[in-house]
Amino acid sequence: MQCLDTSRTQELGRALQELSRNKYPHIENPPGCKKRAAVALIIRVRPLFPHRSSFDISRCGPTAGSHQARLEAYFDQEWVQRGDPEVLFIKRAARKGDRWTSHIAFPGGGRDPEDKHDLAASIRETKEEIGMDLEADHCINVGNLSERVVTAWLGKTPLMVLCPFVFLQMRDNTEPLVLQPTEVHSAHWVSLRALTSPYLNNYIRSDVSGRFGRSDSNFIRGLTRLLFGQVLIKSIDLVPTESVYCNSSADLLPSGPRASTYASSILARLSPGRSIWENPAQQLVLWGLTLGIMSDFLRMLPSSDPSELWAWPTLSHIDYQFSIWLFTYTYRKKKLQEMVPNNLASDKKVGKASGPGEIDDTTFTTVQARSRRKIQDSAILEMLGGYYERAKMAVFFTLLLRIGIGGYFTAWGLRELRSRRSPKL
């Protein structure tokens, strides 16, 4: 039986201590954008056999001292040191018209006028969505990750300011989660080992017709798909250690078409991107905005390489793939060489303050806010800084090449047709 490497728990303890000492600064909403939202990245340590968890309120409770003292006492316990760290994700309920319908996400939501601050919004939304009380004695608000402005496709329109907060749940034997059926389909605890496993890396296909412009014309949308194909975006297939499903959800059980014959079941198994369980609400795929936040957090762990969690988006058509690969080759090679794991805020030199950055809801590029300390740039920003400018040039070049080749063969075909129809002398 292979023993699990428990060194990641020690890394997590040091990273959380560092995060609690170095807060990311608050950023204001950009002009024309009033919405703010907050999410909770909740961590726990599950004990490994034969250990059992225990919560010592005298050492780890609210009266035990500062957050740093409570964290030190918690990670000093043997069952924690030999445990397996996990992160809580939710799968949002399927709702028509929702930009993030059925997505994997962190608990959280929009800030209401009665919320005193963004942290209060994350605590309230988590309580409403999954029934978890983040103000309980066994929970610590460790700190926050960088606030970011979420924008529409390619950064054209700001949608909201997103504020991620990190919490540590010091008990794993808490009361069962209570999921709000209109908001949450299911909740899943996922090991950090699974989030960093290269064997679970994958891609999702996103409809490109909605990326280049919003059009209600089926003809325009179909033509866009025909010309550009689909966007391939990096994702991670989640393997939960514990899951809770909303029993009042309509899509709790499989529905829709199923394999009715042996031959159709074999074809279903061989079809790429499909599974025998075809209900999309049951798929657990981490990507997009949540993957970007998770990558920024995992970068704090020395053993995690953010470049292994990331792949540059591209298009599904092979000629676009090749041109994008060619146009961005030097840039990607340079960025991979520049990536240095574990660059925490305190490891950076002091720099001048600058304004907030933006994160694209599809490219997930983040420019961190800065204070007197020069806080690390997002791992995704460092990978994507100038990638899209080069990718757009590659797409434009390939489109011109297609038009040129298509025009040449069209003209050649017309000449051949005319020569065959013209009478021979």
Side-chain angles (χ1 to χ4, degrees):
M1 180 179 177
Q2 186 178 5
C3 295
L4 295 178
D5 181 10
T6 57
S7 62
R8 194 175 297 275
T9 306
Q10 301 172 10
E11 293 180 357
L12 174 65
R14 291 190 291 268
L16 294 181
Q17 285 277 10
E18 187 71 25
L19 188 62
S20 68
R21 290 191 293 265
N22 295 276
K23 306 294 184 181
Y24 284 84
H26 173 79
I27 65 173
E28 299 294 336
N29 286 63
C33 176
K34 298 182 179 180
K35 184 177 181 180
R36 297 183 70 87
V39 296
L41 195 164
I42 305 169
I43 303 169
R44 74 176 184 185
V45 177
R46 178 190 288 266
L48 299 178
F49 183 83
H51 299 277
R52 294 291 184 269
S53 66
S54 61
F55 176 64
D56 188 346
I57 193 171
S58 62
R59 297 182 60 199
C60 304
T63 60
S66 65
H67 282 4
Q68 287 80 14
R70 296 175 67 188
L71 287 171
E72 184 177 357
Y74 175 73
F75 283 97
D76 191 46
Q77 300 175 95
E78 183 180 4
W79 74 267
V80 176
Q81 295 177 353
R82 297 181 180 275
D84 188 25
E86 299 176 340
V87 178
L88 180 65
F89 296 95
I90 64 171
K91 187 172 183 64
R92 297 208 168 273
R95 296 191 299 180
K96 188 175 182 180
D98 185 358
R99 180 183 292 267
W100 292 285
T101 180
S102 298
H103 282 200
I104 293 295
F106 296 118
R111 176 175 171 177
D112 289 344
E114 60 267 23
D115 295 322
K116 294 182 179 180
H117 38 64
D118 298 318
L119 175 61
S122 70
I123 294 174
R124 175 186 55 79
E125 284 285 344
T126 301
K127 180 71 172 179
E128 292 176 359
E129 289 186 344
I130 62 175
M132 179 182 290
D133 184 8
L134 295 177
E135 295 181 303
D137 292 345
H138 59 272
C139 291
I140 299 180
N141 169 223
V142 179
N144 68 323
L145 299 176
S146 65
E147 298 181 3
R148 54 202 75 195
V149 178
V150 180
T151 69
W153 172 244
L154 296 181
K156 298 297 183 181
T157 307
L159 300 175
M160 64 180 174
V161 176
L162 181 63
C163 310
F165 293 92
V166 179
F167 294 86
L168 175 65
Q169 180 181 276
M170 293 183 286
R171 292 175 55 187
D172 75 312
N173 55 345
T174 56
E175 295 181 359
L177 300 178
V178 181
L179 308 185
Q180 217 283 350
T182 61
E183 298 284 344
V184 181
H185 169 268
S186 54
H188 308 272
W189 288 100
V190 180
S191 170
L192 287 183
R193 294 181 293 114
L195 294 172
T196 56
S197 171
Y199 299 102
L200 298 176
N201 290 347
N202 209 335
Y203 288 89
I204 68 161
R205 292 175 175 262
S206 179
D207 186 8
V208 75
S209 64
R211 305 297 183 182
F212 294 129
R214 303 293 179 182
S215 175
D216 295 329
S217 171
N218 291 332
F219 173 76
I220 297 298
R221 295 175 67 89
L223 182 62
T224 306
R225 294 191 196 101
L226 181 64
L227 286 176
F228 299 103
Q230 296 174 302
V231 182
L232 301 181
I233 303 174
K234 177 65 182 293
S235 65
I236 296 177
D237 295 332
L238 297 185
V239 180
T241 59
E242 180 182 338
S243 297
V244 178
Y245 291 87
C246 183
N247 57 2
S248 59
S249 175
D251 52 10
L252 175 63
L253 298 176
S255 60
R258 66 184 183 88
S260 57
T261 64
Y262 178 76
S264 60
S265 65
I266 295 297
L267 290 175
R269 293 179 184 275
L270 296 178
S271 299
R274 297 179 59 192
S275 77
I276 297 302
W277 196 339
E278 295 186 1
N279 190 343
Q282 306 297 341
Q283 299 171 5
L284 301 178
V285 181
L286 175 64
W287 69 287
L289 185 57
T290 308
L291 177 57
I293 296 174
M294 195 69 235
S295 298
D296 287 348
F297 176 78
L298 290 176
R299 192 185 182 191
M300 298 179 180
L301 306 180
S303 62
S304 298
D305 184 356
S307 64
E308 295 181 357
L309 298 174
W310 180 251
W312 285 271
T314 187
L315 295 177
S316 57
H317 288 176
I318 191 65
D319 53 346
Y320 285 121
Q321 284 189 29
F322 177 75
S323 62
I324 291 174
W325 175 86
L326 187 64
F327 273 65
T328 62
Y329 176 79
T330 304
Y331 171 84
R332 290 182 289 106
K333 184 177 180 181
K334 178 183 177 181
K335 286 299 178 181
L336 285 174
Q337 293 173 348
E338 291 176 355
M339 290 299 295
V340 180
N342 196 32
N343 289 330
L344 292 174
S346 61
D347 297 330
K348 293 288 188 178
K349 297 180 180 179
V350 175
K352 295 181 180 180
S354 62
E358 295 183 347
I359 179 167
D360 188 285
D361 72 339
T362 304
T363 65
F364 323 112
T365 310
T366 307
V367 180
Q368 307 289 12
R370 301 173 190 269
S371 62
R372 287 178 298 174
R373 287 183 181 272
K374 184 178 179 183
I375 297 176
Q376 69 172 32
D377 283 335
S378 163
I380 305 306
L381 169 66
E382 296 189 13
M383 302 293 276
L384 275 176
Y387 174 80
Y388 274 94
E389 287 74 12
R390 293 165 176 81
K392 284 189 288 186
M393 288 191 295
V395 171
F396 182 69
F397 170 79
T398 307
L399 191 58
L400 289 180
L401 191 62
R402 281 185 171 188
I403 294 173
I405 293 176
Y408 172 80
F409 280 104
T410 300
W412 176 82
L414 290 174
R415 287 197 304 268
E416 287 293 315
L417 185 60
R418 289 172 183 172
S419 63
R420 292 182 181 182
R421 288 185 176 181
S422 59
K424 296 183 179 179
L425 299 177

